[in-house]
Amino acid sequence: MTVRTRQHQRGRPIGAVTRLLLPILLAMSVTALFAMVWQSVGEQSDFADLERDGVRYIQALGPLEIALTNAGSAAVTGTPAPVEDLTRAVDAVAAVDRELGERLSTQDRWAGLRAKIEALPADAGKADTIAAYGTVNDLLLALMDKVRNSSKLVRDPDADLYYLGDGAAQELPESIVAATRYTNLLVSLPGLNAADRASTLIDISTAGSSLAGNARDLSDDVRLAVEGTGSESLGSALLSRLDRFNRAVDNLMPLMSGRDGAGSEQVVQRRDEMQAAAADLSSALLTQIDIGLQDRISSLDQRRLLASGIFLVSVLLALVPAGLALAARSRGARPPRPGPVAVPELESERERWGRVSVPQ
């Protein structure tokens, strides 16, 4: 055996091992990348699911805020308020809290708010009624802020959904509370003595400034959301409702001066117009947030499906050479089958004597 033949035989096992290991290492690398992508997509999907839970909770809190402000305004003006609306709104929030309260860590806050709602005075004076409902409204805003933080709506990575969430869960609810306090103080102004009247006018001015500031911040949120997404459907769904809300707020502002001689009936009418516009805008904002989150989850599901397909194909392609190498190695290790043994033919007697030379 030559030296070159011996070197070739010594190199064959190393080459075979290399051809066997490289596909396996490639398959392991693809598996590791797939696991990282799968985990990342799963975390983003869970994040969006939690945000959707927050949207559901805030959607239940919106009617409760409207029912509370209506009940407070009715108590201040001395008109009967529909108790069924408030009871129905409380039951709706209680149902949502039973389902999502543990996940969003809202159970204690909701229990405290519900206790305050049930303890609201039925026949107190105007000042005490305004103070009692003001406390309840503050607790409601705190609960809404808790939901926004626990559901991570406040940390949404998309600019448009972030601004929509800020408008729907902070600026708009605060606008409703500020408008209610503003109109309740206006209604309570007649009949006050000089000292109380001066103090109330300061409170009216403060509530009016808060309302104007919240409305301005809300307009900025919607504008930034529309500009951030570039979606025409988002603009058409929100801008007309925002204009209606801003017109309703503008109609409330002149009442503060008292120069137009607005009575309690006109104040309540304009407040009702503002609340109707706010409820319509709130529903549209939360609907658009939920649509955006659903689209994100659908996109993540498609990425997960695509990653699974790529992973499966890559692993199969990587394992094919390894399988071929193993098959070749298995064939090379088998002993060769014994072939047929050649049996020499016996010469006939004639042929053997024919080769014997006969002496001449």
Side-chain angles (χ1 to χ4, degrees):
M1 182 182 295
T2 64
V3 174
R4 184 173 180 180
T5 303
R6 288 196 299 268
Q7 290 178 348
H8 178 69
Q9 289 182 351
R10 284 198 302 266
R12 286 178 61 187
I14 297 177
V17 170
T18 303
R19 289 193 298 272
L20 181 64
L21 287 180
L22 283 179
I24 295 176
L25 292 175
L26 178 60
M28 293 174 61
S29 301
V30 171
T31 302
L33 290 174
F34 170 76
M36 293 172 60
V37 172
W38 187 272
Q39 181 179 3
S40 175
V41 171
E43 290 174 352
Q44 295 178 61
S45 183
D46 292 341
F47 192 101
D49 283 333
L50 185 62
E51 287 185 282
R52 292 195 68 196
D53 289 341
V55 170
R56 284 183 55 200
Y57 205 118
I58 295 172
Q59 285 174 330
L61 289 176
L64 176 61
E65 183 179 30
I66 297 297
L68 276 173
T69 54
N70 286 336
S73 297
V76 171
T77 58
T79 58
V83 182
E84 296 79 9
D85 293 345
L86 182 57
T87 302
R88 187 163 48 249
V90 169
D91 292 341
V93 177
V96 173
D97 189 77
R98 282 194 298 269
E99 181 181 354
L100 304 175
E102 184 176 357
R103 189 179 188 193
L104 298 177
S105 303
T106 58
Q107 293 173 321
D108 293 339
R109 287 183 181 268
W110 166 240
L113 172 60
R114 187 171 188 175
K116 286 292 185 180
I117 293 174
E118 294 172 351
L120 284 170
D123 53 355
K126 290 183 178 181
D128 292 338
T129 300
I130 291 174
Y133 276 90
T135 299
V136 170
N137 287 329
D138 289 341
L139 291 175
L140 176 62
L141 292 178
L143 175 58
M144 199 167 292
D145 189 63
K146 176 65 176 179
V147 172
R148 187 183 174 211
N149 281 277
S150 298
S151 65
K152 300 181 181 179
L153 276 169
V154 72
R155 294 168 50 194
D156 192 274
D158 292 341
D160 55 339
L161 296 188
Y162 169 81
Y163 287 119
L164 292 179
D166 184 71
Q170 182 174 351
E171 302 301 342
L172 187 56
E174 290 181 359
S175 297
I176 296 173
V177 170
T180 301
R181 178 171 175 77
Y182 171 79
T183 54
N184 287 345
L185 289 170
L186 281 173
V187 171
S188 67
L189 190 60
L192 295 178
N193 57 43
D196 292 338
R197 185 181 181 87
S199 174
T200 303
L201 284 173
I202 294 175
D203 293 339
I204 291 173
S205 178
T206 301
S209 298
S210 298
L211 174 58
N214 290 132
R216 185 167 52 251
D217 292 341
L218 175 61
S219 297
D220 291 340
D221 281 336
V222 175
R223 176 180 56 81
L224 291 171
V226 172
E227 292 177 354
T229 187
S231 172
E232 295 182 359
S233 60
L234 182 62
S236 61
L238 298 179
L239 293 180
S240 61
R241 292 177 171 86
L242 178 64
D243 291 340
R244 177 191 174 193
F245 173 77
N246 286 331
R247 285 194 303 269
V249 171
D250 292 339
N251 290 334
L252 282 173
M253 289 295 102
L255 300 178
M256 182 170 56
S257 64
R259 289 194 295 268
D260 59 354
S264 60
E265 184 177 349
Q266 186 176 7
V267 171
V268 172
Q269 179 184 358
R270 295 190 183 183
R271 182 192 66 84
D272 290 344
E273 292 174 358
M274 190 280 302
Q275 281 198 342
D280 187 29
L281 179 58
S282 175
S283 176
L285 287 169
L286 293 171
T287 298
Q288 291 302 315
I289 294 172
D290 193 57
I291 290 174
L293 293 173
Q294 289 184 58
D295 291 342
R296 182 187 301 169
I297 293 173
S298 177
S299 176
L300 291 171
D301 289 341
Q302 292 178 3
R303 286 176 56 187
R304 183 177 290 180
L305 183 62
L306 179 61
S308 300
I310 294 175
F311 168 72
L312 181 61
V313 173
S314 300
V315 169
L316 289 176
L317 291 176
L319 293 181
V320 165
L324 294 176
L326 286 174
R329 188 174 182 182
S330 176
R331 287 195 302 268
R334 295 176 185 173
R337 291 183 178 180
V341 179
V343 179
E345 295 182 0
L346 297 177
E347 295 181 354
S348 61
E349 191 72 16
R350 180 180 298 179
E351 290 175 346
R352 184 162 53 87
W353 281 103
R355 289 197 302 271
V356 177
S357 57
V358 179
Q360 299 294 328

